[in-house]
Amino acid sequence: MRFLRRSTTDSATTDTETPGDEAVEVQAKSYTPGKGKATPKRREAEAKRRGPVAPPPTTMREAMKRNKELRKSAKADPEYKLKQRNAAKERRERMMAGEDKYLLPRDRGPVKAYIRDLVDSRRNLLGLFMPLAILVFVALILPYPEVQRYATLLCTVMLLGMIVEGFLSGRRIAKMVRLKFPNETIKGTSVGWYSFIRASQIRKLRVPKPRVSPGDKV
């Protein structure tokens, strides 16, 4: 009977459909659909994790307020004070060592360094200015008129001597600086005043520290 035998047409149809089905199945397994957008960069991903970025300040007052809040948050860090202390100590040490980058603008440059060396290489009467001022202040407090009179006389004589010494020293140093730096514009008044201020300070308190000792040749 015919229904017991498989039709050749059905067999051919099955044979022709099987390879196509296998190809579709293989393609379905190996195919990865696109995400529809580009992969975000690392910077964008980190910014997204941190949260939205605050808009820039529109007024000066708002900017100052935001800076104040940032400083408060930084000070809340337990290591903030230690870092600040270490940084200040390092700046102080470099300034005392005479590194030009860490000096005040008035002390920078080879000309000012040479003036400091000239002043530090001599013992000056001006170095007694601060101790003399303290002595006069103490004498004025004491209830002894004669002590006050002698202290005032001593102070007047010392001040006159300091003025004369400062004037002569300023001229001498300005002349030496002009010889050392002939291409620089040297103002006598500026050099004289800078050397006067340097010489009037106690040697141990001078900033930066002296590089030469009294009597050394500069």
Side-chain angles (χ1 to χ4, degrees):
M1 293 184 300
R2 296 184 62 180
F3 64 87
L4 294 178
R5 288 186 299 174
R6 188 171 60 178
S7 173
T8 56
T9 306
D10 296 340
S11 176
T13 305
T14 305
D15 293 341
T16 56
E17 291 179 356
T18 301
D21 295 341
E22 292 178 357
V24 171
E25 185 178 359
V26 171
Q27 183 180 4
K29 290 181 179 180
S30 60
Y31 176 70
T32 303
K35 294 184 292 184
K37 59 180 179 179
T39 304
K41 297 181 179 179
R42 183 176 180 181
R43 188 191 312 172
E44 297 175 354
E46 291 177 355
K48 188 175 181 180
R49 285 197 300 268
R50 287 194 298 264
V53 179
T58 55
T59 61
M60 182 63 69
R61 184 175 182 181
E62 184 180 352
M64 294 175 62
K65 183 179 179 181
R66 189 173 299 181
N67 289 335
K68 187 176 181 180
E69 292 176 354
L70 290 175
R71 285 196 298 269
K72 284 183 178 181
S73 61
K75 289 181 180 180
D77 185 3
E79 297 182 358
Y80 176 79
K81 291 185 178 180
L82 180 61
K83 293 178 181 178
Q84 291 291 100
R85 194 180 301 113
N86 292 337
K89 183 179 179 181
E90 183 181 1
R91 287 195 300 269
R92 174 71 178 177
E93 291 176 353
R94 291 177 179 269
M95 182 175 65
M96 295 301 292
E99 292 190 24
D100 214 50
K101 179 181 177 181
Y102 296 90
L103 294 176
L104 296 175
R106 67 179 184 185
D107 298 323
R108 294 175 184 170
V111 175
K112 296 298 180 64
Y114 183 63
I115 295 173
R116 291 195 298 269
D117 290 343
L118 291 174
V119 173
D120 297 336
S121 63
R122 294 171 62 95
R123 295 188 185 278
N124 304 283
L125 185 64
L126 282 167
L128 300 175
F129 178 79
M130 294 182 67
L132 181 64
I134 297 174
L135 178 63
V136 172
F137 179 75
V138 173
L140 292 176
I141 294 177
L142 296 176
Y144 302 105
E146 291 206 7
V147 174
Q148 296 178 0
R149 190 181 308 116
Y150 284 117
T152 304
L153 180 61
L154 177 63
C155 178
T156 304
V157 173
M158 293 288 289
L159 284 177
L160 289 175
M162 290 177 185
I163 292 173
V164 174
E165 183 194 52
F167 177 76
L168 297 176
S169 178
R171 292 186 61 182
R172 177 183 62 85
I173 292 176
K175 184 178 179 180
M176 296 179 70
V177 171
R178 289 190 180 99
L179 292 175
K180 180 74 173 179
F181 303 93
N183 297 326
E184 295 285 343
T185 302
I186 305 299
K187 296 182 179 179
T189 53
S190 177
V191 172
W193 179 250
Y194 185 76
S195 60
F196 180 88
I197 295 298
R198 178 77 176 180
S200 63
Q201 297 172 345
I202 298 175
R203 187 177 182 86
K204 292 184 178 180
L205 300 180
R206 292 174 183 175
V207 179
K209 289 182 178 180
R211 301 185 299 182
V212 297
S213 301
D216 291 348
K217 187 177 180 180
V218 180

